[in-house]
């Protein structure tokens, strides 16, 4: 999977949080167990050593293996090194899809 270490901009992240729409506030209350990659805008992984890895939604939906010798035993060690993972949702696409489904189901009643 293509990774890039980035200088994370807290201002960019906060701009998404500071002015949430009504739809954003509703989505924030949802506790998702799974998120379709179509709706993932970005994932930020912060490691205990201070590195931050940024993955775009396209990178997770079409991963490119970087190491063909990966074993599950080694994956556990990698996860232990992660301090925090933040998933940013593209609420514009999510809202369009939800509105389309609502219109399909309730179109004549809306």
């Amino acid at each position: 999977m293509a990774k890039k270490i980035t200088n994370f901009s807290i201002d960019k992240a906060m701009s998404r949080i500071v002015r949430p729409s009504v739809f954003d506030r509703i989505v924030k209350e949802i506790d998702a167990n799974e998120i379709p990659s179509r709706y993932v805008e970005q994932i930020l992984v912060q490691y205990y050593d201070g590195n931050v890895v940024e993955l775009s939604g396209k990178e997770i939906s079409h991963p490119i293996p970087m190491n063909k010798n990966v074993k599950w035993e080694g994956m556990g060690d990698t996860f232990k090194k992660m301090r925090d993972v933040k998933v940013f949702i593209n609420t514009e696409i999510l809202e369009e899809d939800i509105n389309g489904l609502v219109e399909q189901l309730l179109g004549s009643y809306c």
Side-chain angles (χ1 to χ4, degrees), residues 55-72:
L55 301 166
S56 72
K58 290 177 185 169
E59 289 173 322
I60 63 166
S61 61
H62 303 293
I64 299 170
M66 300 298 282
N67 184 351
K68 294 182 182 191
N69 298 321
V70 174
K71 300 202 182 330
W72 281 110

Side-chain angles (χ1 to χ4, degrees), residues 16 23-24 27 32 35-36 38-42 86-94:
R16 298 179 195 182
F23 185 79
D24 290 335
V27 169
I35 302 169
R38 167 179 167 71
Y39 302 116
V40 175
E41 183 176 332
Q42 178 182 52
K86 290 187 179 8
V87 179
F88 294 92
I89 304 299
N90 187 326
T91 54
E92 291 174 6
I93 294 174
L94 180 61

Side-chain angles (χ1 to χ4, degrees), residues 46-57:
Q46 182 180 17
Y47 291 91
Y48 284 106
D49 66 5
N51 284 327
V52 176
V53 175
E54 177 181 355
L55 301 166
S56 72

